Amino acid sequence: MSTDAIVLLKEDHKEIRRLFKAFQEAEEGPASKRGKIVKQILEALTVHTYLENEVMYPEVRKLVPDVEDDILESYEEHHVADVLCFELFTMDADDERFNAKTTVLIENVLHHVEEEEQEWFPKVREALGRNQLQEIGQRMLDLRPKAPKTPTAPKALKKSLDAIVA
């Protein structure tokens, strides 16, 4: 398995897209099935954004000044996703707004992923050597088991509060 930070993040993006597709296919089905899929989406997004916010973004911001604006925008996009994740976590899957809120989350995250993969990942790959990306990736792998798994976990809430206060 690669420890390249960009490869790891793209693998997360692939899994998140798979979960989004599963939700869209189950959208008209039983609320219990949608609820289970959204729970998986929330866990995947909570872990992923935590790793980006704690490791990838600060390191890239320090090492690749050309992507400073992209990183700042990404922090804000994460904040919007965090709020939606928190709200979805507290909702029942049969709530009339559950599907709509999940759809808005999906649209926002897909926009964010596209910007990362198309715009600033290439700049980061060009600016940083393979070894630096592997070191960053290894730090993300080391932190993953300690990452919050729900939007209401203390580390996830701290991340959201930091976005508001910062």
Side-chain angles (χ1 to χ4, degrees):
M1 179 170 78
S2 174
T3 61
D4 180 296
I6 291 174
V7 171
L8 294 173
L9 294 176
K10 283 184 172 184
E11 287 173 4
D12 282 357
H13 291 169
K14 184 177 177 182
E15 174 61 11
I16 289 165
R17 283 188 191 102
R18 186 192 66 74
L19 291 168
F20 288 169
K21 185 175 186 216
F23 173 81
Q24 290 164 335
E25 290 170 355
E27 201 166 354
E28 302 302 319
S32 61
K33 184 174 183 179
R34 287 192 317 272
K36 286 179 185 176
I37 295 167
V38 168
K39 185 177 179 183
Q40 293 174 307
I41 289 170
L42 298 180
E43 180 175 332
L45 287 174
T46 301
V47 170
H48 179 78
T49 60
Y50 180 79
L51 296 175
E52 283 186 326
N53 286 354
E54 293 296 313
V55 180
M56 184 69 170
Y57 290 179
E59 198 64 28
V60 168
R61 192 173 179 195
K62 182 173 59 179
L63 297 171
V64 190
D66 287 351
V67 296
E68 170 91 15
D69 290 342
D70 296 311
I71 298 288
L72 292 173
E73 183 179 333
S74 291
Y75 277 127
E76 295 307 318
E77 289 170 346
H78 279 193
H79 177 65
V80 170
D82 290 342
V83 170
L84 291 167
C85 286
F86 182 84
E87 290 174 355
L88 279 165
F89 188 79
T90 63
M91 292 174 78
D92 290 324
D94 58 1
D95 184 294
E96 71 176 355
R97 296 174 308 133
F98 188 82
N99 283 6
K101 194 172 294 286
T102 303
T103 298
V104 170
L105 174 67
I106 289 169
E107 290 169 353
N108 277 282
V109 170
L110 289 176
H111 166 81
H112 170 75
V113 165
E114 185 176 318
E115 282 186 341
E116 278 187 342
E117 291 186 357
Q118 302 303 316
E119 295 175 23
W120 68 268
F121 279 2
K123 294 176 190 173
V124 171
R125 180 161 303 289
E126 187 177 316
L128 301 181
R130 188 171 63 110
N131 288 343
Q132 282 180 302
L133 285 169
Q134 287 176 336
E135 288 171 16
I136 294 168
Q138 188 59 55
R139 288 180 35 219
M140 290 187 331
L141 286 172
D142 293 344
L143 188 60
R144 185 175 287 272
K146 299 172 191 145
K149 305 233 182 320
T150 66
T152 58
K155 288 179 185 175
L157 289 173
K158 181 188 179 312
K159 175 175 61 100
S160 295
L161 288 173
D162 286 348
I164 295 168
V165 178

